[in-house]
């Protein structure tokens, strides 16, 4: 969005997936099919009405027009076995807030 890569290593993370896995109040990593996962944004007070509208939409599979599915992130391990859980660095509040704004 700003034309620069996320400073993952400066923040103490090895990957974007590791970063989002440590922000459960902002984004949820959901297992999908064939070892992939989907990232779902968590609605807050400012986005809960939008989340309700999205939830009421018909699913992609029930639409007659061809609409692209959201891209899934490939994982080598199941979400329960992330090696960084419990020992990851704390993400600065300003970075977390900016990412939350970006996701909403």
């Amino acid at each position: 969005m700003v034309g620069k890569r996320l400073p993952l290593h400066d923040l103490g993370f090895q990957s974007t997936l590791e970063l989002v896995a440590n922000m459960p109040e902002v984004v949820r990593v959901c297992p999908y099919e064939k070892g992939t996962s989907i990232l779902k944004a968590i609605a807050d007070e400012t986005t809960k009405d939008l989340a309700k509208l999205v939830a009421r939409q018909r699913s992609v599979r029930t639409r007659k027009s061809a609409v692209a599915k959201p891209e899934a992130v490939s994982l080598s391990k199941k979400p329960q076995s992330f090696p960084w859980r419990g020992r990851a660095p704390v993400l600065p509040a300003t970075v977390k807030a900016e990412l939350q704004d970006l996701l909403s």
Side-chain angles (χ1 to χ4, degrees):
M1 184 172 175
V2 295
K4 296 180 182 178
R5 292 182 178 267
L6 289 172
L8 297 172
H9 294 289
D10 294 343
L11 296 170
F13 297 99
Q14 298 299 314
S15 68
T16 307
L17 188 58
E18 183 179 346
L19 171 72
V20 298
N22 282 281
M23 296 189 306
E25 67 280 356
V26 177
V27 65
R28 185 172 65 228
V29 180
C30 301
Y32 194 56
E33 50 191 39
K34 298 181 182 176
T36 61
S37 291
I38 293 178
L39 303 178
K40 293 186 178 184
I42 306 296
D44 63 6
E45 287 299 314
T46 62
T47 60
K48 67 179 179 182
D49 292 332
L50 180 61
K52 287 179 186 176
L53 290 172
V54 171
R56 279 190 263 163
Q57 289 180 336
R58 293 187 306 173
S59 73
V60 173
R61 292 180 183 164
T62 61
R63 292 185 190 158
K64 291 185 179 187
S65 63
V67 178
K69 290 183 181 178
E71 290 186 32
V73 177
S74 224
L75 294 177
S76 59
K77 296 183 178 184
K78 293 181 182 176
Q80 300 90 306
S81 61
F82 287 152
W84 53 83
R85 293 239 170 158
R87 60 181 169 93
V90 175
L91 190 63
T94 55
V95 174
K96 195 178 282 190
E98 289 175 10
L99 287 170
Q100 190 167 12
D101 287 342
L102 181 63
L103 288 170
S104 65

